[in-house]
Amino acid sequence: VPAEVAIEPWGRVNFVNNDTRPHTIASDPIDIHTDCPPVNQIGLLNPGDSRTTGTLNLERTCGFHDHTNQSDSSLRGRIIVQ
């Protein structure tokens, strides 16, 4: 939450796991994770963990998902770098 956030180029986004189960955050597309490699730096977040993406320096839209729970659409989102 939120499922979509807008940031300026050269920014970062902090992910916090406030859930009771682990989540593995990865860049879209689901099977190859190549759209926004800085998002892949999040990786596994156990309950209570937080981690920041790498620097998102290019203007683009970065889709992300919970690779551990791929079928749960509520665990997908977008980072808009503008």
Side-chain angles (χ1 to χ4, degrees):
V1 175
E4 184 173 288
V5 63
I7 65 168
E8 293 184 10
W10 298 98
R12 296 170 155 217
V13 175
N14 191 51
F15 282 74
V16 179
N17 184 354
N18 290 320
D19 200 353
T20 58
R21 60 186 174 151
H23 298 286
T24 303
I25 305 304
S27 172
D28 288 345
I30 285 179
D31 291 329
I32 57 175
H33 311 131
T34 55
D35 282 355
C36 291
V39 173
N40 297 331
Q41 292 179 16
I42 299 296
L44 175 66
L45 291 176
N46 286 309
D49 284 353
S50 66
R51 195 165 298 117
T52 303
T53 66
T55 303
L56 297 158
N57 59 342
L58 301 175
E59 290 191 14
R60 60 182 163 179
T61 298
C62 296
F64 63 86
H65 61 278
D66 179 356
H67 192 71
T68 308
N69 302 287
Q70 294 178 27
S71 62
D72 189 340
S73 63
S74 72
L75 300 173
R76 295 181 186 176
R78 298 183 333 153
I79 302 168
I80 302 167
V81 184
Q82 56 185 13

